[in-house]
Amino acid sequence: MAELDQENLHRDMTAWRHELHAHPEFGFEEKRTSAFVAQKLREFGLEVAEGVGGTGVVGTLTRGSGNRAIALRADMDALRIAEQGTMTYRSQTLGTMHACGHDGHTSMLLGAAKLLAGEGGFDGTVRFIFQPAEEWGRGALAMLNDGLLERFPFEEIFGLHNMPGLPVGHFETRAGPIMSAEDNFEIMLKGVGGHAARPHAGNETLVAACALVIALQTIVSRRLSPADIGVVSVTELITDGTRNALPGLARILGDARSFRPEVSAEIEKQMRRIAEGTAQAHNVSAEITYTREFVPLVNDATLVEEAFAAARSVLADNAVGVAAEPTTGSEDFARFLEHVPGCFVFLGNGDSAPLHNPSYDFNDEGLLHGARFHAAIARRRLPG
Ligand SMILES: [Zn+2]
Ligand SMILES: [Zn+2]
């Protein structure tokens, strides 16, 4: 089959990316986005299923007679962040923007679908998975719970994320844990509020809350092995106190990261012990809610080597490297890896604003690299 004109493909992908960027949609609200994706996939000649796990889309492309199947995945959702960029294609939806580059990821996977549909070069089935609600950590589960693996079976899965600070055209990944679990917690302290002039007459909660915020910092420094990675961050402290009045309620909210389920369990256990003990010392009560939002992302060692080989076939040899250390960011892609082996990789976004920043924008110069990596790994895993 004829080789697609790379310049034309890049122009198409840039136009798709700008269209998606101008119309960002929050998790599970990606109606316009998924309709756009489905229409493009049909144009390229793929079989398309919509509404998988809410607003998810699955495209299927089969060539030859091979019965192996692999999956390539992109995320489609945006964030509730007010964009500060002034480009012509800036968000037209107030307070919502593509601040994580999922517009770029979607466009890259569409580019890969067009490449593979036009040029072939593989034997078997490629599933193109466009998932909703990555930022919530709910979209992959929604697709899995909707029978993704039974209805559209595949044996392995690959995904990517752009990385600000890494030069465009550069590629990184590593074997084993590469992104962390994210747990959320909420500790509600309940006492008796009252007049600011008469603290002894009640059991106010603010001093207890402050002591607890400091005490929680000892979980990582004094309870985890120095060989383990963990983060405990208190992000909010809210009370019902006001001028002249001491609070009877204090809510402490936060976020914990880890790379092993045992570490996550230990953080929760120590948090409960410290919260209950601190509350008792201050004569107030503590209610603790601890939830697991994202699981650790663990790359398969063999497929990491395959991803490196695929990357070297489409990128400069010296631009393909091992990620020096795991990141404490989290990724919903990890849910797929609980069922099938796979590999998640990072592609350079150049000198852009950081992810989730109101000035962030995906770098269009990287679009073709992503599409070509996706196509290369599919061809490598399904040799024709
Ligand atoms: Zn994000
Ligand atoms: Zn993201």
Side-chain angles (χ1 to χ4, degrees), residues 75 77 100-102 105 134-135 161-162 330-331 355-356:
D75 39 16
D77 56 322
C100 205
H102 299 182
H105 303 162
E134 188 285 323
E135 298 286 357
H161 206 291
N162 75 94
S330 299
E331 240 300 332
L355 299 173
H356 295 204

Side-chain angles (χ1 to χ4, degrees), residues 61 65 83 115 124 138 152 163 288 312 348 364:
L61 185 64
S65 55
E83 180 155 32
L115 261 177
R138 293 285 182 276
F152 313 98
M163 184 169 277
I288 302 136
R312 276 189 214 103
D364 293 322

Side-chain angles (χ1 to χ4, degrees), residues 180-185 231-233 254-258 267 271 290:
S180 76
E182 180 189 342
D183 305 338
N184 287 167
F185 59 85
V231 180
V232 174
S233 288
D255 176 298
R257 309 279 167 140
S258 57
I267 290 173
M271 183 171 292
Y290 195 97

Side-chain angles (χ1 to χ4, degrees), residues 36-76:
F36 181 87
V37 164
Q39 186 214 325
K40 290 290 165 212
L41 294 176
R42 286 195 181 100
E43 261 176 43
F44 309 150
L46 274 72
E47 216 174 281
V48 179
E50 291 177 78
V52 183
T55 40
V57 180
V58 180
T60 298
L61 185 64
T62 300
R63 290 285 184 271
S65 55
N67 54 13
R68 273 182 37 84
I70 69 144
L72 307 172
R73 170 275 203 179
D75 39 16
M76 303 188 289

Side-chain angles (χ1 to χ4, degrees), residues 83-118:
E83 180 155 32
Q84 282 176 4
T86 54
M87 55 280 197
T88 50
Y89 55 87
R90 67 185 171 273
S91 169
Q92 291 176 25
T93 308
L94 204 66
T96 304
M97 75 173 282
H98 272 294
C100 205
H102 299 182
D103 50 346
H105 303 162
T106 298
S107 183
M108 289 193 282
L109 191 53
L110 285 175
K114 189 166 186 184
L115 261 177
L116 288 167

